[in-house]
Amino acid sequence: MTSSRQFPIKPFRFGVQASSQPDRKSWIDLAKRTEAAGFDVLTMPDHFTDQLAPLPALTAAAMATSTLRVGALVWDNDYKHPVVFAKEMATLDVLSDGRLDLGIGAGWMITDYEQSGIPYESAGTRIDKMIEGIDIMKGCFAQGPFSYAGKHYTITNYNGMPKPVQGSCPPILIGGGGKRVLTYAAKVADIVGINATMSAGAVGPEAISTMTAEAVDAKVDIVREASGDRIKDIEMNIRTFFVKVTNDRAKTVDSISSMFGVAADMINNSPFALIGSVEECIEQLLERRERWGFSYTIVGAENIDECAPIVAALRGK
């Protein structure tokens, strides 16, 4: 049952998730095109697959633009020690003049771990380490030296430098599909992303089944209940995976539902899909903000041009 606690209506923001381009010029052109099309943020995944490394790529994108915010969706806490990661993030915030959105997660894609030899610990352990990592990062960003004694990390009299431009900490984005991460995100994150449940360590039928409207109701209810008075400060985010601006919505929905072996109504109603004419997509986004609080939507780099009119109509409203 949906909680009576409602997210305040926040202005729409839009992001683009990109992973790679063949050369410097193509990557810079993508960043400039994202900004020119009215999008607010350029994000990247953090995997060991065929993609650019997010830190240098996002730094280059920030250097080539003036208003575009940058961040990963999301950096994996397991891949770097939090002191090292905090220094890198503070530096990116300084060099971008405060345009960093700090997305961080506990890690999920098992092939990254298997191929690199990084231990793929239990979900509970990975989440524990992420929580400690975020605590340490906040300590690095704060003024003066700090010490920290946790189960997984120990920090002694360390003063993180440089300090981020955006006050005590850049905006933190935490995405999750399960109760523990969503509860934690509701208590500490500035931006809460609603994800599919990736407990299997890969995208498959199990994950797809957690992308229904009803599953999203349950996930958002967790955030509503756990956020308390913070609910007014939280920005709700979703990364849409099935995006097509078209005047034949039914045909596209049928094609996608057949491809994934799910009912057409599942795609029709899922906020992970954005399909239809410009006017239909605008209406879907308005309805989703009202129902779930989603004011920050991210699409793929392949969707920049077709979604630009939607962005123009809703951004900041």
Side-chain angles (χ1 to χ4, degrees):
M1 181 177 295
T2 300
S3 166
S4 60
R5 181 178 291 143
Q6 297 296 317
F7 295 99
I9 298 298
K10 290 187 176 293
F12 282 107
R13 285 205 305 157
F14 294 92
V16 168
Q17 175 91 327
S19 60
S20 191
Q21 287 291 316
D23 52 44
R24 176 191 177 278
K25 182 181 184 303
S26 300
W27 179 251
I28 296 304
D29 286 348
L30 175 65
K32 290 181 176 179
R33 188 158 60 93
T34 300
E35 183 177 54
F39 288 87
D40 299 274
V41 190
L42 178 66
T43 63
M44 293 184 67
D46 183 24
H47 294 302
F48 300 157
T49 52
D50 184 15
Q51 67 158 92
L52 296 173
L55 178 62
L58 291 170
T59 303
M63 297 301 99
T65 56
S66 58
T67 62
L68 191 68
R69 297 184 68 81
V70 295
L73 197 68
V74 290
W75 272 289
D76 185 331
N77 176 75
D78 274 341
Y79 297 163
K80 291 180 180 177
H81 190 285
V83 164
V84 176
F85 183 56
K87 188 175 190 68
E88 293 177 343
M89 292 300 98
T91 299
L92 178 53
D93 198 51
V94 169
L95 296 181
S96 67
D97 291 328
R99 287 185 278 143
L100 171 67
D101 283 351
L102 179 50
I104 187 165
W108 64 272
M109 198 162 91
I110 193 169
T111 53
D112 280 349
Y113 290 82
E114 290 175 341
Q115 292 172 0
S116 66
I118 297 173
Y120 189 69
E121 298 169 296
S122 70
T125 298
R126 284 180 279 124
I127 295 168
D128 287 343
K129 291 172 72 174
M130 178 194 75
I131 292 171
E132 287 193 17
I134 290 172
D135 288 342
I136 291 167
M137 292 180 66
K138 289 181 175 179
C140 293
F141 296 152
Q143 297 301 316
F146 78 105
S147 297
Y148 182 91
K151 182 178 180 181
H152 302 282
Y153 304 106
T154 300
I155 312 300
T156 305
N157 198 33
Y158 176 70
N159 188 10
M161 296 295 287
K163 304 298 182 185
V165 172
Q166 298 181 85
S168 60
C169 185
I172 293 177
L173 183 156
I174 299 173
K179 184 174 182 179
R180 186 181 177 199
V181 171
L182 288 173
T183 299
Y184 174 72
K187 296 179 182 299
V188 304
D190 302 286
I191 308 162
V192 176
I194 298 296
N195 298 343
T197 304
M198 311 299 287
S199 55
V203 178
E206 181 181 344
I208 297 294
S209 71
T210 67
M211 298 169 78
T212 65
E214 294 75 18
V216 173
D217 278 338
K219 295 172 192 288
V220 170
D221 276 351
I222 292 169
V223 180
R224 284 191 174 111
E225 291 300 330
S227 59
D229 291 339
R230 293 192 76 249
I231 194 168
K232 65 182 184 301
D233 300 319
I234 292 173
E235 182 179 42
M236 293 296 288
N237 161 261
I238 192 162
R239 160 67 159 110
T240 50
F241 292 99
F242 315 116
V243 179
K244 180 67 175 178
V245 179
T246 173
N247 290 323
D248 194 346
R249 184 172 190 269
K251 180 180 178 181
T252 303
V253 168
D254 286 344
S255 175
I256 294 173
S257 62
S258 297
M259 182 186 307
F260 289 94
V262 298
D265 276 352
M266 182 268 173
I267 301 297
N268 262 321
N269 299 323
S270 173
F272 290 96
L274 184 63
I275 301 166
S277 66
V278 169
E279 293 75 19
E280 287 173 324
C281 289
I282 289 171
E283 186 63 29
Q284 291 167 44
L285 291 169
L286 288 167
E287 290 173 354
R288 292 165 187 180
R289 184 171 65 172
E290 181 67 27
R291 178 172 176 176
W292 294 302
F294 293 138
S295 58
Y296 176 17
T297 299
I298 296 176
V299 302
E302 67 277 10
N303 307 122
I304 292 173
D305 294 334
E306 62 180 331
C307 288
I310 300 168
V311 174
L314 290 180
R315 182 189 185 197
K317 297 180 181 178

